[in-house]
C-alpha cells in the first residue's frame, strides 16, 4: 500500500514508520512546518527535522518538509485569537487536525496516496459499512478528543497504526528497533508556540488591559488582572490572589471583569447542563435519526475520564447535554466530545455555548 506518513520527530510517528515498513508498505514521509508567520516559536525546530531525516535514512525513505505556516496562521490562529478575544476558550489542536493536517495537507499531498498515517493514539472500526473513529487502547494517551472535528471523508483516508498499543509498548518497540528517538521526551504544551509562553503570546497579539477581579458572591473587588483573555473558566493558578484557592467562574468581556469564587468545594465551578451548538458528526451516528434522548459519554477537556450523560436535540442547532455527574470548569467555547456509552466510538463534538 502506498502511504503518506506524517512524522514529527517524536517516538510515536517513528514507530508508525517502523511498523508500516515492517509490513512491506510503500512509504513517503512528510513533516508539516506550521507556526507563526514570522517563524518565531514554530515547533518545527531544526532538531525535529534532523530527527525525521535520521528516521528517513534509517529506512531509506523519502522525506518532504511541507510548509503550511500561512494556512495555519490564517485559519487556526485566527480562530484561536478571535475566540479568546470573545471571552471563550479555544482548542487550536482540534482545529489544526481538521484544517491543516487532514485539510490542506490531504488536499495538496495526501490525495496522491492510498492512505495517510499518523502517530495519533486512536483507532478506527467499520460498522455496517461506516468507518468510525474509536478510542485508543491507552486511555491516558487517547487523542480522539483532538480528532473530534475531522470529517467522515477525512477519516476514510486515515490510519492510526499505534492506536492498539499502550505508550510503554511503543517505547519498547522503539528501543528494540534502536530508533534514535526511542528515549526522546514527548512534546508538551501547544505545538506552534515552541519555547514561547502562551501568556507571552497572547500579550504580544492582544496586548494588556487592566481590569478588576471580583468575588462573585459579594461583588467585592479583590485584585486586578491584565486582560480577561489571559484567563479561562475553571482556572485556579496564576491569579495572584491570597487566601485561596480561587477559581475563575465568569468573565465579562464588555467590562473586562473576571469573577472568582473561593474554596475547593465551591458549587460555582461545577455544572451538569451543557448547551451545545455547531454539532459536528464525524460519521453516520444513531443520534442523528432519533429525537429521543441518547445515552452517551463525553469529555470537555483532554482527560482519560469519560462522563456519562444524555444528549437531546432541543432546536435545529442546539443540543442539551445533561451530565450524570458534576463537571468542573465548563467554559463556553470548549468542545464537548461525544462518545457512545461504551466509551469506544467517538461520534463527534459540539461547541459549549453555555452551562
Amino acid at each position: 500500500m502506498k502511504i503518506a506518513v506524517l512524522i514529527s520527530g517524536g517516538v510515536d510517528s517513528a514507530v508508525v514508520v517502523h511498523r508500516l515498513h515492517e509490513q512491506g508498505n510503500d512509504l513517503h514521509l512528510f513533516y508539516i512546518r506550521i507556526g507563526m508567520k514570522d517563524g518565531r516559536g514554530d515547533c518545527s525546530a531544526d532538531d525535529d527535522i534532523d530527527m525525521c531525516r535520521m528516521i528517513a535514512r534509517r529506512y531509506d525513505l523519502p522525506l518532504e518538509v511541507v510548509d503550511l505556516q500561512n494556512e495555519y496562521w490564517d485559519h487556526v490562529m485566527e480562530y484561536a485569537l478571535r475566540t479568546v478575544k470573545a471571552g471563550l476558550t479555544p482548542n487550536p489542536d482540534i482545529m489544526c487536525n481538521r484544517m491543516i493536517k487532514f485539510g490542506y495537507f490531504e488536499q495538496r499531498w495526501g490525495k496522491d496516496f492510498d492512505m495517510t498515517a499518523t502517530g495519533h493514539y486512536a483507532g478506527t472500526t467499520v460498522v455496517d459499512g461506516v468507518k468510525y473513529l474509536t478510542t485508543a487502547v491507552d486511555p491516558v494517551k487517547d487523542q480522539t478528543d483532538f480528532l473530534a472535528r475531522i470529517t467522515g471523508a477525512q477519516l476514510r483516508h486515515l490510519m492510526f497504526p499505534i492506536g492498539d498499543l499502550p505508550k510503554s509498548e511503543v517505547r519498547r518497540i522503539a528501543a528494540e528497533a534502536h530508533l534514535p528517538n526511542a528515549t526522546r521526551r514527548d512534546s508538551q504544551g501547544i505545538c506552534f508556540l515552541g519555547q514561547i509562553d502562551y501568556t507571552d503570546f497572547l500579550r504580544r497579539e492582544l496586548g494588556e488591559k487592566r481590569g478588576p477581579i471580583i468575588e462573585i458572591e459579594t461583588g467585592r473587588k479583590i485584585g486586578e488582572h491584565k486582560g480577561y483573555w489571559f484567563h479561562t473558566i475553571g482556572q485556579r493558578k496564576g491569579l495572584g490572589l491570597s487566601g485561596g484557592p480561587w477559581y475563575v467562574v465568569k468573565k465579562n468581556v464588555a467590562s473586562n471583569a473576571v469573577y472568582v469564587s473561593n474554596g475547593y468545594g465551591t458549587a460555582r465551578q461545577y455544572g451538569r447542563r451543557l448547551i451545545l451548538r455547531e454539532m459536528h458528526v464525524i460519521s453516520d451516528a444513531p443520534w442523528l435519526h432519533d429525537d429521543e434522548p441518547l445515552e452517551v459519554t463525553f469529555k470537555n477537556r483532554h482527560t482519560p475520564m469519560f462522563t456519562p450523560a444524555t444528549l437531546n436535540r432541543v432546536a435545529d442547532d442546539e443540543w442539551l447535554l445533561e451530565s450524570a455527574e458534576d463537571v468542573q470548569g465548563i467554559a463556553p467555547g470548549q468542545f464537548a466530545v461525544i462518545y457512545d456509552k461504551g466509551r469506544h466510538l467517538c461520534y463527534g463534538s459540539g461547541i459549549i455555548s453555555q452551562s
Side-chain angles (χ1 to χ4, degrees):
M1 187 181 296
K2 187 179 179 183
I3 303 174
V5 183
L6 295 182
I7 184 170
S8 66
V11 66
D12 297 329
S13 57
V15 171
V16 167
V17 173
H18 175 78
R19 295 191 94 186
L20 293 176
H21 185 266
E22 290 285 290
Q23 296 166 10
N25 294 289
D26 178 12
L27 308 182
H28 191 121
L29 311 186
F30 291 90
Y31 182 95
I32 300 178
R33 186 185 294 276
I34 58 175
M36 291 184 277
K37 282 185 174 179
D38 59 12
R40 294 195 302 121
D42 185 7
C43 70
S44 312
D46 290 341
D47 57 347
D48 290 331
I49 296 177
D50 287 343
M51 185 62 71
C52 292
R53 288 177 177 142
M54 291 174 68
I55 296 297
R57 286 195 298 269
R58 164 70 182 275
Y59 295 98
D60 191 25
L61 297 172
L63 169 68
E64 187 173 350
V65 178
V66 299
D67 191 339
L68 289 174
Q69 288 178 297
N70 288 339
E71 290 83 354
Y72 189 88
W73 181 270
D74 291 343
H75 297 279
V76 178
M77 291 317 304
E78 187 279 332
Y79 144 79
L81 290 173
R82 169 172 43 83
T83 302
V84 168
K85 199 168 183 178
L88 307 174
T89 300
N91 191 317
D93 291 325
I94 287 180
M95 299 306 289
C96 179
N97 284 325
R98 163 73 180 257
M99 305 188 74
I100 304 301
K101 292 179 182 177
F102 309 132
Y104 285 104
F105 173 80
E106 283 290 292
Q107 293 165 16
R108 298 175 188 176
W109 294 279
K111 62 182 175 59
D112 296 326
F113 295 83
D114 297 320
M115 298 290 285
T116 295
T118 79
H120 284 96
Y121 283 84
T124 62
T125 190
V126 177
V127 180
D128 296 329
V130 178
K131 188 175 183 179
Y132 285 93
L133 179 66
T134 61
T135 51
V137 166
D138 191 329
V140 174
K141 298 301 294 183
D142 179 72
Q143 293 175 305
T144 50
D145 50 330
F146 295 129
L147 298 167
R149 298 298 274 191
I150 65 173
T151 68
Q154 289 171 335
L155 182 64
R156 286 192 291 274
H157 200 248
L158 295 178
M159 59 192 307
F160 309 108
I162 62 169
D164 63 333
L165 301 175
K167 181 72 178 196
S168 58
E169 180 68 5
V170 170
R171 290 285 187 189
R172 187 193 67 77
I173 291 172
E176 287 192 355
H178 303 291
L179 298 182
N181 52 7
T183 60
R184 197 180 192 203
R185 293 179 60 185
D186 293 340
S187 61
Q188 301 292 327
I190 301 173
C191 180
F192 75 91
L193 292 179
Q195 301 302 313
I196 297 177
D197 180 76
Y198 182 56
T199 299
D200 290 339
F201 170 73
L202 291 179
R203 183 178 295 109
R204 167 185 163 174
E205 298 299 325
L206 301 179
E208 293 184 354
K209 183 179 180 181
R210 290 192 172 274
I213 298 177
I214 299 171
E215 184 177 28
I216 194 167
E217 290 87 356
T218 65
R220 178 173 60 97
K221 177 181 174 181
I222 59 174
E224 283 193 343
H225 62 82
K226 296 180 180 180
Y228 63 82
W229 44 86
F230 294 115
H231 304 284
T232 188
I233 304 299
Q235 176 184 340
R236 180 167 71 90
K237 297 181 179 180
L239 294 171
L241 301 174
S242 60
W246 294 94
Y247 291 89
V248 175
V249 294
K250 181 182 176 182
K251 295 187 292 183
N252 187 313
V253 173
S255 64
N256 190 31
V258 172
Y259 293 85
V260 298
S261 187
N262 185 258
Y264 287 106
T266 174
R268 299 233 178 218
Q269 65 166 316
Y270 297 97
R272 291 198 177 196
R273 292 167 57 88
L274 293 77
I275 301 297
L276 309 182
R277 292 194 169 88
E278 297 184 38
M279 186 67 74
H280 171 76
V281 179
I282 300 171
S283 306
D284 190 29
W287 49 274
L288 278 178
H289 314 293
D290 194 345
D291 290 332
E292 296 299 317
L294 179 71
E295 291 185 35
V296 298
T297 55
F298 77 98
K299 298 180 182 182
N300 67 313
R301 55 173 48 84
H302 185 56
T303 171
M305 307 301 295
F306 296 81
T307 303
T310 57
L311 182 68
N312 192 27
R313 188 199 298 267
V314 293
D316 286 344
D317 186 32
E318 185 171 294
W319 297 74
L320 173 62
L321 186 64
E322 293 190 275
S323 173
E325 304 169 3
D326 289 337
V327 181
Q328 191 267 338
I330 302 170
Q334 281 181 329
F335 290 92
V337 181
I338 310 299
Y339 300 83
D340 71 332
K341 65 179 181 179
R343 306 176 182 188
H344 179 59
L345 301 179
C346 179
Y347 287 143
S349 60
I351 300 177
I352 299 173
S353 65
Q354 64 185 73
S355 61

